Structure formats: structure tokens, C-alpha cells
Amino acid sequence: MISFSIILPTYNIVAHCIKTIRHILDFDYGSFELIVINDGSSDGTKKQLAKLDDVRLTIIDTKNVGVSAARNLGLGIARNDYVLFFDDDDEINPSILDILDSAIRKNNHPDFVRYSGIRENTDGSFETIPGFKKPMYNNEKKE
């Protein structure tokens, strides 16, 4: 099983953030960590995050450094094979880690995968959902 580190920066969007975190923690996939970077929120995010208790969850509080720097903080502590970046108000397919696991295995474990709106068909093939970019693996040429 491929392991994933999910990095989720958040700033002043506590209700959506908590909903997204709970949704991710409900994933059935067996090997992932969720790293939440509280980027200096002043809306009670820190207090709400402190109420969450899950061994897969790591919370980092920082002064407001911006989304890119917050993601980089998460990268600095990520421990797993592949890293995913989610936003604090994302609605995420609960099967995304299974889909990515399958795609990574079928593509010879590339170092890098760019994905956006992919789904696995019943025959095991993958397709891009209309309106999204085709997945790209590090061994492919960019279109």
C-alpha cells in the first residue's frame, strides 16, 4: 500500500476547515497522515483544531505566512511516499487515495503525479473528468 501525506493549510475559515478535516479522516484508505497548517487564523480555528484527536493528524500553528509558505512547512514534516495538497474548503472524493494508489502502481511508481479530476473506470482504466487537465506522470511529456 502506498502511503500519502496530505497537507492542508487553513486561514480564517474554521467551519469549512473542520468539515474538510473530518471528511478526510473518514477516508477508508489505510496509510495516510493529515498535516494541517493553521496559518495564523484569528477566527477560533486553533481552538477548534485542538478538539480533534486522531493519530493520523498533525497540527502546526504558525503566524500568518501565506498559503505557499504554509504548504512548505507541511512538506518539511511529511513522512510518506507521496504528498497531496488540499485546500481547507475542498470537497474531496473519498476514494481519491485508492484511485491514486491504483494509478501510481499502474504507472510504475513515478516520482511525481499531477492530477486533477480523474476517476477509475470499472475496467481499471483512468479517465479525466471533463473540464479537468489530463493526469501527468514524471515520465511523460507535457501536452
Side-chain angles (χ1 to χ4, degrees):
M1 178 175 282
I2 294 169
S3 58
F4 295 96
S5 293
I6 300 169
I7 298 173
L8 181 87
T10 188
Y11 178 72
N12 283 346
I13 188 169
V14 66
H16 288 291
C17 175
I18 298 301
K19 180 180 174 184
T20 298
I21 291 168
R22 287 190 176 134
H23 176 69
I24 292 169
L25 293 174
D26 283 343
F27 287 0
D28 288 334
Y29 194 82
S31 185
F32 73 93
E33 67 177 338
L34 174 58
I35 302 167
V36 177
I37 311 298
N38 179 23
D39 190 23
S41 297
S42 59
D43 65 346
T45 296
K46 184 175 181 175
K47 184 177 179 182
Q48 293 302 313
L49 290 174
K51 294 178 182 179
L52 300 173
D53 184 29
D54 192 295
V55 296
R56 299 166 296 173
L57 179 63
T58 300
I59 298 168
I60 306 282
D61 288 302
T62 185
K63 64 179 182 162
N64 184 246
V65 293
V67 67
S68 296
R71 286 183 177 140
N72 287 337
L73 286 170
L75 277 174
I77 64 167
R79 301 180 306 240
N80 291 327
D81 300 328
Y82 288 87
V83 174
L84 292 88
F85 295 110
F86 291 150
D87 292 326
D88 53 6
D89 61 350
D90 280 350
E91 293 185 22
I92 304 153
N93 179 338
S95 299
I96 191 61
L97 300 180
D98 295 298
I99 291 168
L100 288 171
D101 181 292
S102 182
I104 289 166
R105 289 174 190 279
K106 289 179 182 180
N107 285 279
N108 200 25
H109 295 262
D111 294 328
F112 173 82
V113 178
R114 179 200 75 203
Y115 77 94
S116 179
I118 61 170
R119 66 177 159 227
E120 186 171 8
N121 297 313
T122 55
D123 65 359
S125 65
F126 296 93
E127 73 175 312
T128 302
I129 299 170
F132 290 93
K133 293 180 179 177
K134 176 184 176 273
M136 186 175 84
Y137 304 94
N138 68 316
N139 55 351
E140 295 179 350
K141 291 183 180 177
K142 190 174 179 180
E143 292 179 347

